[in-house]
Amino acid sequence: MIRRQTQADLALLILAAAWGGTFVMVKDAVAMMPVFTFLTLRFFVASITLLLISQPRRLRQLDRRAALLSILAGALFAAGYGFQTIGLQTTGPGQVGFITGLSVIIVPIGAAIIWRVRPNRSAIVGVTCAVIGLALLTGALNGQPIAPGAMWVMLGTLGFAGQILVVGALSKQIDPRALATLQVFSTAVGCGIISILFEKPIVPASPTVWGAILFTGVSVSALGVIMQTWAQSFTPATHAALIFATEPVFAAIAGFILLGERLGADQTIGCGLILIGMLISELGNRESTLPLS
């Protein structure tokens, strides 16, 4: 029988593939409407979906601490998108991709500080391979100076890393559907506030855009967050961050299949290193994590 942690890791890998695979769809949609208007509608669709499949009594069973931390996870997720988008205005996509991927380092540091637990040796080797792979895949080693918006992108990365850590802390304690529902709803509210403050919200008229909103809202947002919450109750946050580092690999594959985008030698090697890093961590995952002395 497959170990529960292996099942959880496979679920996170499927989720990373789904996020990366929908990149082309989302890219086409946000070309026709403001980014945060799209995200607001996407996460409100996800919220409605989760309310339909989750019994309201599950939410009423949450204590104040669990409810506040669930809302915090959603707020961090929205902040991640917000700061990343601000940084994108003055930062190239390569640097944005690399800085965002640095959550693979931030998460284990956060776990060590919060839970006094350090990653095992295989996770350290895996993270190192993933970071080098991200640098090659995103072109972060091409000698370009650090862009002015890099600090905003780093704040966004802290938001994404914080969301992984909060979900990791809560996932073993409360019902995954309740956590997912509150988290997704607060993400929708956060994105809505950003949209009102910095954009001109519109109601999309294109069936293509509505198709993207409904598909991503139901699949990778609603069901995806439930999958993440369930999986993180069986696998460490550090491992989850490493698996999520494969998202740009799947985005590159989707770009190749759907748009005919070609990968250079450095990008191909980078994809390989990210996957190798994940496999090293997975194969060595039977080592127990050691408490810091």
Side-chain angles (χ1 to χ4, degrees):
M1 179 180 291
I2 299 176
R3 293 191 313 146
R4 185 57 61 88
Q5 185 167 339
T6 302
Q7 293 175 335
D9 290 344
L10 286 173
L12 292 177
L13 185 62
I14 291 170
L15 180 57
W19 283 342
T22 57
F23 177 79
V24 175
M25 178 188 297
V26 173
K27 182 178 179 180
D28 290 342
V30 298
M32 293 182 274
M33 67 180 300
V35 172
F36 282 96
T37 303
F38 172 82
L39 290 173
T40 301
L41 293 173
R42 167 178 164 174
F43 282 105
F44 268 122
V45 167
S47 300
I48 294 171
T49 302
L50 287 170
L51 285 174
L52 291 175
I53 64 177
S54 301
Q55 299 176 1
R57 64 178 176 81
R58 297 179 185 275
L59 295 176
R60 292 195 294 269
Q61 292 173 348
L62 297 179
D63 59 30
R64 175 174 291 186
R65 174 182 175 275
L68 289 176
L69 287 176
S70 300
I71 294 171
L72 174 62
L76 288 169
F77 208 40
Y81 278 114
F83 288 126
Q84 183 189 69
T85 303
I86 293 172
L88 269 170
Q89 298 175 6
T90 56
T91 309
Q95 287 190 12
V96 170
F98 177 70
I99 295 171
T100 302
L102 290 179
S103 61
V104 77
I105 297 176
I106 297 170
V107 168
I109 293 174
I113 294 173
I114 297 170
W115 297 304
R116 303 286 295 172
V117 172
R118 67 185 180 194
N120 56 38
R121 287 168 294 182
S122 61
I124 294 172
V125 174
V127 166
T128 302
C129 287
V131 171
I132 296 172
L134 282 166
L136 291 171
L137 176 59
T138 59
L141 299 178
N142 59 12
Q144 292 184 355
I146 298 176
M151 184 55 66
W152 291 110
V153 180
M154 179 55 73
L155 289 174
T157 302
L158 291 173
F160 291 132
Q163 185 261 354
I164 293 174
L165 288 168
V166 173
V167 170
L170 279 175
S171 57
K172 297 179 178 65
Q173 304 172 18
I174 66 176
D175 185 276
R177 283 170 287 186
L179 171 56
T181 301
L182 275 180
Q183 180 184 177
V184 166
F185 179 74
S186 57
T187 301
V189 172
C191 289
I193 292 172
I194 295 172
S195 176
I196 292 171
L197 291 176
F198 300 104
E199 295 179 341
K200 293 181 179 179
I202 63 171
V203 177
S206 169
T208 301
V209 174
W210 276 112
I213 290 170
L214 293 173
F215 181 80
T216 58
V218 173
S219 59
V220 296
S221 294
L223 301 181
V225 172
I226 288 181
M227 184 182 294
Q228 178 192 358
T229 305
W230 171 83
Q232 281 199 240
S233 65
F234 299 105
T235 198
T238 298
H239 209 186
L242 183 56
I243 294 172
F244 286 151
T246 64
E247 181 184 352
V249 176
F250 291 110
I253 293 172
F256 173 75
I257 295 173
L258 299 176
L259 302 177
E261 295 178 344
R262 299 285 179 178
L263 294 179
D266 286 352
Q267 293 172 308
T268 303
I269 295 172
C271 288
L273 283 173
I274 293 171
L275 294 175
I276 289 171
M278 185 197 68
L279 288 173
I280 290 173
S281 181
E282 180 65 36
L283 293 175
N285 203 41
R286 291 175 182 172
E287 297 181 42
S288 60
T289 53
L290 301 174
L292 289 174
S293 57

